[in-house]
Amino acid sequence: MKKCFLLIAVAITTVFLTSCSQSSKLEKAANEQMIATFKEMAKNPESVKIVDVESVNLQKEMYDSAYYNKKGQDLYQQGDLESAIQYFYKSIALNNKNATAYNNLGMSYWQKNNVDEAIKNFKKAFSINSKYTQPLTNLANIYMQQGDEKNEFFYLQKAISINPNDEMALLFLGDFYRRKNEYFSAIKAYKNVIEVNDKNSRAYMSLALCYFEIEEFNFCSQNLMKFLDLNPESDYAYFVLAKAALATSHFEYAKSFITKAIELN
């Protein structure tokens, strides 16, 4: 259970980092367009039509919406959920098509254990932008917590059908199969994660654990070594290496791995 909550925390942090990037891009684009229009107005005011001024006003609202969303993200990361929620609402009030703000609002409610509001806002985010898969992986995680495997699988599959390279959705799909002891399907999903990002250490660890369960101890050890390349201070990885060595009667290796695990613990 503790590991489960840790994985969810990592997932939420990852989602927020991506959301911050999207918000910054929107803010930059809006600002650039505003500056270009104002420069044109300064050179020749008569050349700027009313529709251009309205466009500037619209871009300002989008700029402000992105600003409030970013402010909410900062507060969220500081643990001030109540203030974060207020800023996300301000962002949405200025731009009710800001899918990222709805997604972030959903995550804030999720952290407050208000699951109904979280689900509502995740679904709203996706309804605004049908290419935006982060709300779908968030929904899948909520349903995983609730033990609703049908909806968990549905939203993971939906996310991957939209974006086959969705790293988090692929990772969670692997977790879904591994919990059901469907190790070959899990292995396929984790390998897809690594094709997208060969620095995803959790995918290597998860692959190693799957291979251990199907008694492919060489593959298990290979993936543990790749995990250790990225996380050299992991005592748990050395502990699993020791188990794999014992399973193949490599007792000296097992002894050295156990010793290393104890040193790092």
Side-chain angles (χ1 to χ4, degrees):
M1 182 65 71
K2 190 174 182 181
K3 286 184 180 178
C4 177
F5 286 126
L6 177 60
L7 296 180
I8 291 169
V10 170
I12 291 175
T13 301
T14 304
V15 167
F16 252 88
L17 291 174
T18 306
S19 297
C20 287
S21 174
Q22 291 175 339
S23 180
S24 297
K25 288 178 182 177
L26 173 61
E27 184 176 329
K28 182 180 178 182
N31 193 37
E32 287 175 351
Q33 183 166 337
M34 288 169 61
I35 290 171
T37 304
F38 286 137
K39 283 182 177 178
E40 182 63 27
M41 289 175 69
K43 288 190 295 183
N44 184 6
E46 293 182 358
S47 70
V48 180
K49 302 175 183 177
I50 294 296
V51 67
D52 295 325
V53 176
E54 291 175 348
S55 176
V56 168
N57 290 334
L58 177 60
Q59 290 300 318
K60 183 178 184 305
E61 289 181 355
M62 293 176 67
Y63 178 94
D64 289 342
S65 176
Y67 168 80
Y68 285 129
N69 182 56
K70 177 62 168 60
K71 181 69 175 176
Q73 290 171 332
D74 292 341
L75 289 164
Y76 178 99
Q77 291 176 322
Q78 294 166 18
D80 188 352
L81 296 176
E82 290 296 339
S83 297
I85 286 170
Q86 294 307 310
Y87 273 95
F88 293 138
Y89 275 122
K90 288 181 181 180
S91 176
I92 291 165
L94 288 166
N95 177 15
N96 63 5
K97 300 298 182 183
N98 190 333
T100 305
Y102 277 108
N103 184 63
N104 291 341
L105 185 59
M107 288 192 290
S108 298
Y109 278 121
W110 186 11
Q111 286 292 91
K112 287 172 62 66
N113 294 318
N114 189 336
V115 175
D116 290 340
E117 281 297 315
I119 290 173
K120 182 178 78 173
N121 282 284
F122 290 144
K123 288 183 176 180
K124 179 66 176 179
F126 181 70
S127 72
I128 293 169
N129 182 357
S130 61
K131 300 296 184 183
Y132 185 31
T133 57
Q134 288 176 9
L136 300 179
T137 57
N138 289 334
L139 284 165
N141 269 300
I142 283 181
Y143 288 120
M144 181 272 290
Q145 283 185 313
Q146 295 180 335
D148 185 343
E149 291 184 344
K150 182 179 178 180
N151 272 315
E152 177 191 1
F153 185 73
F154 171 79
Y155 283 108
L156 289 175
Q157 289 286 70
K158 191 172 184 68
I160 294 166
S161 70
I162 294 167
N163 178 12
N165 294 323
D166 188 319
E167 183 179 347
M168 296 308 297
L170 290 168
L171 191 65
F172 294 144
L173 182 63
D175 294 343
F176 173 84
Y177 284 126
R178 187 157 73 92
R179 290 198 313 272
K180 294 172 69 64
N181 299 328
E182 297 179 19
Y183 296 113
F184 291 101
S185 294
I187 286 168
K188 181 180 178 181
Y190 292 133
K191 283 184 175 180
N192 287 337
V193 173
I194 291 167
E195 287 183 10
V196 175
N197 176 14
D198 64 0
K199 302 298 182 185
N200 191 313
S201 61
R202 193 165 83 74
Y204 287 117
M205 174 58 77
S206 299
L207 268 174
L209 296 174
C210 287
Y211 280 125
F212 187 91
E213 292 296 333
I214 62 174
E215 300 184 356
E216 291 282 359
F217 300 114
N218 286 335
F219 288 132
C220 172
S221 298
Q222 288 171 18
N223 281 281
L224 286 169
M225 297 308 295
K226 290 176 181 177
F227 174 86
L228 282 166
D229 286 341
L230 299 167
N231 299 275
E233 302 300 311
S234 171
D235 59 329
Y236 182 68
Y238 281 105
F239 173 73
V240 181
L241 272 170
K243 289 177 65 178
L246 282 172
T248 53
S249 301
H250 290 94
F251 301 114
E252 288 301 317
Y253 283 119
K255 181 180 177 181
S256 66
F257 290 141
I258 283 290
T259 301
K260 184 67 175 178
I262 292 170
E263 288 175 0
L264 292 171
N265 190 283

